């Protein structure tokens, strides 16, 4: 199927965001399929943020935080992992399996960010678009809505 | 508090299949603490339903509201004005809340979204254990604060059964025998004499359901003065 995947990346500002920034500065090439939503910590990511992302039409969502043991807020990334695992169960129940993944990408690890985006893009290409999107693009306001939800 | 678990999604979805416009009502007390039916869980269920039906290219209009306590008329009554527009109501409260809501909204079918499990404690986030079976006659004062009715799977009131092995329960060897715990606790408190008293049969006649309690201060109000 010929379509451009739309992937939302909920990332922590201390690690993955920096890694993604570095990938850009270093001119590393990777698919333009990802929209970044920056959190102060992945521990702030609520299950409902992920479900709303899919409601808005995201084909996949990646959550990416610091490596275990190096969270700035001690255990935000561990909590995020628990929530992501539970959200995967909720998604399995409704037939959207395989579209959510958690990564751990340190601030210095731009190549790992590039690899993660490539992996998710391939995965979505195999799965096809989010059935809710029905050939449409991401809802134009979706990313903005999510950003508003994330801001306190 | 009351502990409940969210029902499997497929079961909820099947119950709601005939309807086009539903209201999900959460409860902000016990079921919110045990992460089964509070405001957040109402949002998650609504989102899950929207996604699941969206995948099938169907549409369901969903209202969301959470009241402080569904088992309390004071909080439930204002909902009346709110429910008229909907075809069906999903309650995320314990069974008591569901039934109270059902009584109040007599024109709508009301469906439960959680399985009410037990009266228990919140050990840590997401980890709950049963603590009391609401037996109508609390023994905790005699048994060192450890409930024989709940913690002993057989509910024995006068010491352990013959199956206790090295302080472990024969029903579940993973668990300590409740009567062993009771003995050690009373020993620690220097109250082992408590165990010489033979407890009478449990007043099972009082446990006939449904139970009613009227506070002594309100007997007159409810016509029970004598
Ligand atoms: S309905 Fe009452 S008992 Fe049930 S969860 Fe709500 S507050 Fe607790
Ligand atoms: S004896 Fe146990 S079950 Fe009975 S009221 Fe006390 S704690 Fe609850």
């Amino acid at each position: 199927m010929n379509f451009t995947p739309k992937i939302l990346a909920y990332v922590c500002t201390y690690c993955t965001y920096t890694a993604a920034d570095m990938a850009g500065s270093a001119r590393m090439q990777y698919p333009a399929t990802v929209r970044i939503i920056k959190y102060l910590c992945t521990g702030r990511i609520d299950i409902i943020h992920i479900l709303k992302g899919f409601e808005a039409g995201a084909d996949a969502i990646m959550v990416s935080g610091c490596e275990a043991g190096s969270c700035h807020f001690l255990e935000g990334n561990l909590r995020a992992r628990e929530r992501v695992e539970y959200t995967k169960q909720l998604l399995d129940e409704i037939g959207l399996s395989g579209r959510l993944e958690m990564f751990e990408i340190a601030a210095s690890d731009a190549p790992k960010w590039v690899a993660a985006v490539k992996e998710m893009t391939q995965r979505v290409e195999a799965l096809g678009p989010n059935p809710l999107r029905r050939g449409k693009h991401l809802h134009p306001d979706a990313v903005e809505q999510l950003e508003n939800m994330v801001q306190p | 508090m009351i502990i409940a678990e969210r029902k499997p999604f497929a079961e909820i979805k099947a119950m709601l299949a005939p309807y086009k416009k539903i209201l999900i009502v959460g409860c902000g007390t016990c079921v919110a603490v045990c992460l089964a039916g509070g405001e957040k869980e109402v949002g998650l269920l609504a989102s899950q339903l929207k996604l699941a039906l969206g995948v099938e290219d169907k549409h369901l209009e969903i209202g969301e509201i959470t009241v402080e306590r569904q088992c309390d008329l004071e909080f439930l009554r204002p909902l009346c004005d709110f429910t008229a527009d909907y075809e069906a109501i999903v309650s995320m409260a314990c069974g008591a809340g569901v039934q109270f809501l059902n009584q109040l909204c007599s024109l709508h079918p009301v469906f439960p979204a959680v399985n009410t499990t037990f009266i228990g404690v919140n050990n840590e986030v997401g980890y709950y254990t049963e603590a009391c079976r609401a037996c109508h006659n609390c023994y905790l004062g005699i048994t060192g604060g450890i409930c024989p009715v709940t913690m002993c799977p057989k509910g024995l009131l006068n010491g352990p059964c013959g199956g206790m092995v090295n302080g472990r329960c024969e029903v579940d060897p993973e668990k300590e025998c409740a009567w062993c715990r009771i003995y050690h606790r009373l020993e620690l408190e220097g109250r082992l004499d408590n165990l010489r008293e033979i407890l009478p049969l449990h007043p099972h006649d009082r446990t006939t359901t449904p139970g009613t309690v009227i506070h002594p201060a309100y007997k007159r109000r409810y016509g029970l003065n004598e």
Side-chain angles (χ1 to χ4, degrees), chain B residues 131-140 147-150 202:
Chain B
C132 170
R133 298 201 63 93
C135 76
H136 291 237
N137 191 35
C138 194
Y139 300 105
L140 293 177
C147 171
V149 180
T150 315
H202 185 75

Side-chain angles (χ1 to χ4, degrees), chain B residues 90-154:
Chain B
V90 179
S91 164
M92 298 198 81
C94 71
V98 179
Q99 291 182 70
F100 222 19
L101 189 61
N102 185 56
Q103 221 172 309
L104 197 79
C105 307
S106 52
L107 298 176
H108 297 83
V110 177
F111 299 100
V114 305
N115 289 324
T116 306
T117 320
F118 49 68
I119 301 180
V121 291
N122 186 14
N123 299 293
E124 232 182 295
V125 62
Y127 172 31
Y128 319 101
T129 42
E130 186 166 14
C132 170
R133 298 201 63 93
C135 76
H136 291 237
N137 191 35
C138 194
Y139 300 105
L140 293 177
I142 302 166
T143 57
I146 295 159
C147 171
V149 180
T150 315
M151 298 305 168
C152 163
K154 299 177 187 174

Side-chain angles (χ1 to χ4, degrees), chain B residues 20-203:
Chain B
K20 292 269 173 294
K21 191 171 178 186
I22 61 153
L23 177 67
I24 306 180
V25 187
C27 174
T29 310
C30 319
V31 290
V33 178
C34 66
L35 311 177
E39 193 172 2
K40 271 197 171 183
E41 290 70 33
V42 169
L44 294 183
L45 179 59
S47 183
Q48 246 191 323
L49 282 165
K50 279 182 213 158
L51 285 169
L53 291 159
V55 166
E56 295 169 10
D57 209 3
K58 291 186 197 141
H59 182 70
L60 178 67
E61 205 174 315
I62 304 175
E64 302 173 30
I65 193 165
T66 299
V67 296
E68 200 55 39
R69 276 200 294 281
Q70 272 186 50
C71 55
D72 196 328
L73 203 53
E74 187 181 339
F75 296 102
L76 212 50
R77 207 178 271 122
L79 260 189
C80 281
D81 311 332
F82 209 80
T83 53
D85 291 347
Y86 296 90
E87 295 172 14
I89 297 169
V90 179
S91 164
M92 298 198 81
C94 71
V98 179
Q99 291 182 70
F100 222 19
L101 189 61
N102 185 56
Q103 221 172 309
L104 197 79
C105 307
S106 52
L107 298 176
H108 297 83
V110 177
F111 299 100
V114 305
N115 289 324
T116 306
T117 320
F118 49 68
I119 301 180
V121 291
N122 186 14
N123 299 293
E124 232 182 295
V125 62
Y127 172 31
Y128 319 101
T129 42
E130 186 166 14
C132 170
R133 298 201 63 93
C135 76
H136 291 237
N137 191 35
C138 194
Y139 300 105
L140 293 177
I142 302 166
T143 57
I146 295 159
C147 171
V149 180
T150 315
M151 298 305 168
C152 163
K154 299 177 187 174
L156 298 179
L157 294 185
N158 288 292
C161 68
M164 185 261 284
V165 182
N166 295 328
R168 297 274 140 192
C169 172
E170 79 163 345
V171 176
D172 178 2
E174 293 286 301
K175 298 213 167 78
E176 243 183 298
C177 163
W179 272 100
C180 226
R181 286 176 59 202
I182 292 171
Y183 183 93
H184 290 307
R185 179 69 188 233
L186 289 174
E187 191 178 39
L188 204 74
E189 295 174 5
R191 297 200 293 149
L192 273 179
D193 274 355
N194 275 12
L195 298 180
R196 295 192 186 281
E197 186 189 338
I198 304 288
L199 290 174
L201 280 180
H202 185 75

Side-chain angles (χ1 to χ4, degrees), chain A residues 1-44:
Chain A
M1 198 188 298
N2 194 9
F3 79 106
T4 315
K6 304 275 185 206
I7 300 169
L8 291 175
Y10 298 175
V11 305
C12 156
T13 187
Y14 289 105
C15 52
T16 309
Y17 188 79
T18 312
D21 200 24
M22 191 192 283
S25 321
R27 306 261 187 280
M28 297 173 113
Q29 295 299 309
Y30 63 92
T33 50
V34 68
R35 305 284 180 280
I36 289 181
I37 305 216
K38 182 165 77 164
Y39 286 76
L40 277 180
C41 172
T42 49
R44 172 68 182 88

